[in-house]
Amino acid sequence: MKTLAEKFDAKTGKKRILALDGGGIRGALTLGYLKHLEDIIRKQHDNPEMLLCEYFDMIGGTSTGSIIAAALAKGMSVDEIKDKYFELGTKIFGKKYKWYRIFEIDDLLKAKYDDKALVKELQNVFGDTLLGDQEAVKTALVIVAKRADTNSVWPLNNHPKGKFYDSGNGNNKAIPIWKCVRASAAAPTYFLPQSIEVGGDNGFAAFVDGGVSMANNPALQCLMVATLKGFPYRWQMGEDNLMIVSVGTGMTRWKKLPKNIGKSTLLNWAANLPEMFMQDASWQNQQILQWLSNSPTSVEIDSEVTALEDDILSDEPGRKKGLIHYLRYNVFLDPVDLNERFKPEKPYTQKDAENLAAMDNAKNCKQLFDLGFQAGAQELKPKHFPEQFKV
């Protein structure tokens, strides 16, 4: 298997990226997909113990996706993460601020949940491991957070030649992984922002959830980190050189009758805007990546341009050969889709679907995992992972 230095190095063969969406407790659905992915990789390499960190050269995530990404990068199996995740979810979404605790009134007005449980559980999982630990972290790791005081997306990563890895401008290598993940998962209204010492003139910076940016689906951001010259990786693009596997946390269908839109109040719009922006960002990310690839998982996002089968950007004009090999897996949390696709004994209702779509209902962990596992059995195919990308 490749060493960490070989994974960083652009000259050491084919590169594989795993990118994991944000979505609160719905990360359990992601784990269902990853269980199938792990099984496919193990069978392909005839190694029943192979870990995803051994296959992927870069693993990135946003918010709940960053928790799973960091755990994978540390060498945990999907089953190990699943057990920890179910336990973590119950604890971090179980302790709300109490209205009668007057001494916490300031925090109560800013966040729904007390973050003490979140911090404790992240510390239990990641311990004192630093972002720059070249032994404990087994692969390139990208944790996407949003710096609130400058309104900029920060893809915290562990490449030792990174501009802010170890310099007067910053010292990313010394940030504990639990703190990076806490920053990425600091969803506004759910948890308070996370302060991190970043060096430079300001010293400290305040971070909020990376999901309140264009990178809640971090696949495009990971591609940028891997290939743009401002970052140190500079991996070579090409359908036979670079593969991106992107896994979601479930999507809702936007169903609003035109006659009801005009009746929406300021509060209605305020409540719906975050989901509207997150969906727009995710679809835009997916559409751009389909444009760059001849993806076997492409779907129609815009009925005017269809699935972009005839619009593949390529460095070989006239050929259907993309700039990346791109795979996207996700499922609609909608009663019509769920019932048609999974044929449950008891059909899903609209209320059931809305309950599953909640980002903070830890009681849904097992059901979400099972849905992701069922969807993975339908969607993930061994042929999606070409032989040239074997380790």
Side-chain angles (χ1 to χ4, degrees), residues 265-280:
T265 65
L266 290 174
L267 288 176
N268 293 144
W269 282 111
N272 287 317
L273 283 174
E275 184 181 0
M276 292 171 69
F277 290 145
M278 286 171 67
Q279 285 209 17
D280 283 347

Side-chain angles (χ1 to χ4, degrees), residues 125-138:
V125 173
F126 299 110
D128 297 326
T129 303
L130 305 179
L131 184 61
D133 191 327
Q134 302 290 297
E135 293 185 3
V137 184
K138 313 297 184 184

Side-chain angles (χ1 to χ4, degrees), residues 72-222:
L72 289 171
K74 275 207 69 179
M76 294 175 67
S77 69
V78 175
D79 281 339
E80 289 176 314
I81 297 171
K82 174 190 169 186
D83 292 341
K84 291 284 187 182
Y85 193 91
F86 283 20
E87 181 182 350
L88 182 147
T90 302
K91 291 180 179 178
I92 67 174
F93 288 118
K95 189 177 181 182
K96 296 183 180 181
Y97 284 109
K98 305 298 184 181
W99 65 268
Y100 54 80
R101 293 171 67 176
I102 304 301
F103 59 90
E104 291 179 338
I105 189 65
D106 188 49
D107 288 343
L108 173 63
L109 295 173
K110 297 175 183 176
K112 186 175 180 180
Y113 292 96
D114 185 344
D115 75 339
K116 294 183 182 66
L118 173 61
V119 169
K120 181 180 179 181
E121 293 307 311
L122 292 178
Q123 290 174 333
N124 286 340
V125 173
F126 299 110
D128 297 326
T129 303
L130 305 179
L131 184 61
D133 191 327
Q134 302 290 297
E135 293 185 3
V137 184
K138 313 297 184 184
T139 193
L141 174 61
V142 178
I143 296 174
V144 182
K146 176 77 173 282
R147 184 166 170 178
D149 52 322
T150 60
N151 198 37
S152 54
V153 177
W154 275 42
L156 296 157
N157 72 93
N158 62 333
H159 197 300
K161 293 183 180 179
K163 191 177 295 184
F164 302 106
Y165 182 80
D166 185 15
S167 69
N169 295 320
N171 190 18
N172 287 356
K173 74 172 187 178
I175 303 173
I177 284 183
W178 75 261
K179 193 171 284 189
C180 296
V181 171
R182 168 67 179 84
S184 179
T189 74
Y190 287 96
F191 298 107
L192 295 171
Q194 175 67 44
S195 179
I196 294 180
E197 188 173 3
V198 296
D201 297 333
N202 297 320
F204 285 84
F207 288 88
V208 293
D209 196 306
V212 291
S213 72
M214 287 292 289
N216 186 62
N217 172 346
L220 182 60
Q221 181 67 60
C222 286

Side-chain angles (χ1 to χ4, degrees), residues 227-268:
T227 60
L228 294 181
K229 290 183 173 62
F231 296 101
Y233 300 88
R234 302 183 184 184
W235 292 346
Q236 182 181 355
M237 293 183 76
E239 187 174 295
D240 297 324
N241 299 317
L242 185 59
M243 175 170 70
I244 300 177
V245 182
S246 173
V247 186
T249 59
M251 294 278 284
T252 57
R253 285 201 183 276
W254 198 254
K255 297 178 178 178
K256 303 291 180 183
L257 294 175
K259 65 180 181 181
N260 293 330
I261 294 293
K263 300 177 183 178
S264 293
T265 65
L266 290 174
L267 288 176
N268 293 144

Side-chain angles (χ1 to χ4, degrees), residues 235-242 291-294 311-325:
W235 292 346
Q236 182 181 355
M237 293 183 76
E239 187 174 295
D240 297 324
N241 299 317
L242 185 59
W291 190 16
L292 295 175
S293 65
N294 183 25
D311 290 288
I312 298 169
L313 289 180
S314 174
D315 53 6
E316 299 182 45
R319 295 187 62 189
K320 280 195 171 185
K321 204 168 182 69
L323 295 174
I324 56 173
H325 179 63

